[in-house]
Amino acid sequence: MNDRYLTNIKLEVEREKLHNLIKHHGLAHPLVIKQSQFLDQIINEYNNKSKKCKHPQVNDGLKSPK
């Protein structure tokens, strides 16, 4: 398993925790806010790993503007 796959699994688990907290406590509860912030960190981690895996775009033969 690669890092992106494991991060994706972690993302889904933490998202489910967030949904359960919202269901039991409402949106403004400190536990919900803390879990939401933690989920944001995981999403940022996933996005950063995704960016690193992408290859640079090919210019399709077009000249760059001067």
Side-chain angles (χ1 to χ4, degrees):
M1 285 187 247
N2 65 30
D3 284 343
R4 287 178 60 207
Y5 178 76
L6 292 175
T7 302
N8 194 33
I9 290 172
K10 186 162 101 174
L11 177 70
E12 294 303 321
V13 168
E14 297 303 328
R15 183 179 288 143
E16 185 64 30
K17 287 180 187 178
L18 177 61
H19 289 181
N20 288 333
L21 286 169
I22 291 169
K23 188 188 313 182
H24 293 345
H25 300 290
L27 288 173
H29 194 279
L31 289 175
V32 172
I33 293 168
K34 186 173 181 177
Q35 181 66 18
S36 177
Q37 291 170 340
F38 182 63
L39 188 56
D40 286 343
Q41 289 176 343
I42 297 170
I43 291 168
N44 290 336
E45 178 184 322
Y46 182 84
N47 287 336
N48 288 337
K49 287 179 182 181
S50 294
K51 285 179 187 178
K52 288 179 184 177
C53 292
K54 290 184 180 178
H55 299 289
Q57 296 279 335
V58 176
N59 198 3
D60 294 331
L62 301 175
K63 293 183 179 178
S64 59
K66 295 183 180 182

